[in-house]
Amino acid sequence: MQIRRYTDADFQQWDKFCALAYPSTFLQTRLFLSYHGNRFDDFSCIAENRGKWLGIMPAARSLENSDVLISHPGVTYGGIIHQGVLVGQLMLEAIQAIGCFASKQGFHYLHYKPVPFFYHRAPSQDDLYALFRLGAK
């Protein structure tokens, strides 16, 4: 699994991915996030395997603390958005890979704001379990 940074060329695919994702609302779409313009230093990322998208995470640098990556400061909640593939061990691996990605970008902390479960199209809280397994606070 590789993690790469979102680019403007991913705009349409990102929104199509959100439309079919379990824990997604309009707040995670690029159409909504683009409302913020350049207010945030965007570090949204894409988890993929051989070019196939496994999950996405809207994220940006904290305005208050430059070494904090927030899943996204411009929305109430964000977290990892997926279409049912990132479960169990794969979610654990995705969160570890995002941590490595963030570290390579110069971040020391990840402020993770999951999508509340009542917005999920299907039960999916593997991200919270993976964070627990990794000792997140």
Side-chain angles (χ1 to χ4, degrees):
M1 178 182 316
Q2 299 81 37
I3 306 297
R4 69 174 177 85
R5 196 166 170 183
Y6 166 84
T7 68
D8 289 339
D10 298 315
F11 187 100
Q12 287 184 348
Q13 187 172 352
W14 182 286
D15 282 1
K16 286 178 185 177
F17 191 89
C18 281
L20 299 173
Y22 289 5
S24 177
T25 68
F26 74 96
L27 295 179
Q28 289 79 44
T29 65
R30 295 317 298 190
L31 189 61
F32 179 80
L33 292 169
S34 65
Y35 159 81
H36 296 296
N38 293 328
R39 181 173 172 222
F40 298 105
D41 188 8
D42 192 271
F43 276 87
S44 296
C45 56
I46 300 164
E48 58 187 4
N49 185 18
R50 298 177 190 190
K52 181 180 180 350
W53 287 24
L54 304 174
I56 58 177
M57 189 176 82
R61 184 182 306 277
S62 168
L63 294 175
E64 291 81 29
N65 191 342
S66 65
D67 69 343
V68 175
L69 179 65
I70 301 178
S71 69
H72 190 288
V75 297
T76 308
Y77 47 83
I80 296 175
I81 308 303
H82 64 95
Q83 297 177 344
V85 174
L86 291 178
V87 297
Q89 184 62 32
L90 275 179
M91 181 61 81
L92 192 75
E93 291 172 18
I95 290 177
Q96 288 174 317
I98 289 171
C100 288
F101 164 83
S103 180
K104 288 178 184 174
Q105 302 298 319
F107 295 103
H108 296 105
Y109 302 96
L110 170 63
H111 182 159
Y112 189 84
K113 302 187 305 184
V115 175
F117 73 91
F118 49 83
Y119 288 125
H120 293 197
R121 292 186 182 118
S124 173
Q125 292 186 305
D126 290 74
D127 56 341
L128 299 181
Y129 181 67
L131 288 166
F132 164 75
R133 289 275 315 273
L134 292 169
K137 296 178 184 183

